[in-house]
Amino acid sequence: LGDADEASIVVEGIGYVSTCWYSAMMGYPFGSWGEAAIVSVQCFMMLLMFWFFSEDGLNLRIRFCALFVVALCCVALQLVELSPAVVASIGLVPSLLFLIARVPQILLNHQQGHTGQLAAATFFLQLAGCLARIFTVMHSMGGDIICLAQHVSSGMLNLILLLQIAKFKKATHAVVSGGLKKKESL
């Protein structure tokens, strides 16, 4: 595991915490964003495990200080009155992070002409989850445009990846099976 793995956990955690914070600030029922709260805790636990079990000699003092500063900032954001533009910006953070995470993969698939080890089932389930969340936003959150943007953009990116998996199926199979044959000959 390396820096990218730690960064991935941190980015995912920031996205879920932003979703929770925005939903709580908007007064939405816990049932509409509780999953994000649970995943936020999960990310925090994964980050702690990454730090403690890493063999890279991580500087835990700096990491815990940074975590403490982030926690203080979260508390401070609860205590001050923020403009609607700032609240909306925080609500859009997960959409931006998901774009940053998915677009390079989409471009790489296009450049390579195959999707490598990507599993269609994963992206199908993520797309189904986005559709369920869109329903939840419409039903429990009154169609909040910020929350809709999060889930519609995520759904579209997952759909693009699914379409790429279908489009490049033959090429991907050839690349993957070619890689297996190389490993067997070693």
Side-chain angles (χ1 to χ4, degrees):
L1 297 175
D3 293 337
D5 299 313
E6 181 181 18
S8 175
I9 296 167
V10 169
V11 167
E12 184 178 1
I14 290 169
Y16 282 110
V17 167
S18 298
T19 296
C20 294
W21 185 89
Y22 174 78
S23 297
M25 290 304 293
M26 297 303 290
Y28 296 133
F30 182 76
S32 62
W33 55 272
E35 174 192 6
I38 292 168
V39 176
S40 297
V41 172
Q42 174 185 327
C43 287
F44 174 72
M45 298 305 292
M46 286 173 49
L47 186 61
L48 289 178
M49 287 190 290
F50 180 88
W51 289 350
F52 285 113
F53 296 115
S54 176
E55 297 174 357
D56 295 337
L58 301 175
N59 186 337
L60 294 179
R61 181 173 298 161
I62 290 173
R63 283 170 169 79
F64 278 109
C65 286
L67 191 62
F68 181 72
V69 168
V70 168
L72 285 177
C73 289
C74 288
V75 170
L77 286 172
Q78 295 290 339
L79 300 176
V80 296
E81 189 165 334
L82 300 172
S83 72
V86 172
V87 173
S89 297
I90 292 171
L92 288 171
V93 165
S95 296
L96 177 64
L97 293 176
F98 199 73
L99 280 169
I100 291 168
R102 288 288 194 254
V103 169
Q105 181 66 56
I106 291 168
L107 295 175
L108 180 65
N109 294 345
H110 180 72
Q111 289 172 344
Q112 295 179 143
H114 67 84
T115 58
Q117 299 290 332
L118 297 181
T122 300
F123 295 101
F124 175 76
L125 291 171
Q126 289 180 351
L127 176 59
C130 289
L131 294 174
R133 288 180 187 93
I134 290 169
F135 174 78
T136 301
V137 169
M138 297 305 290
H139 184 272
S140 299
M141 302 170 137
D144 182 296
I145 194 72
I146 301 293
C147 292
L148 280 175
Q150 289 177 14
H151 304 305
V152 168
S153 63
S154 298
M156 293 300 293
L157 292 168
N158 285 318
L159 179 61
I160 291 168
L161 285 164
L162 272 173
L163 293 172
Q164 284 185 324
I165 290 169
K167 177 182 178 183
F168 298 131
K169 186 175 183 175
K170 287 182 184 178
T172 298
H173 180 70
V175 169
V176 171
S177 63
L180 292 175
K181 289 178 184 175
K182 285 181 185 177
K183 286 183 181 178
E184 289 174 0
S185 66
L186 295 176

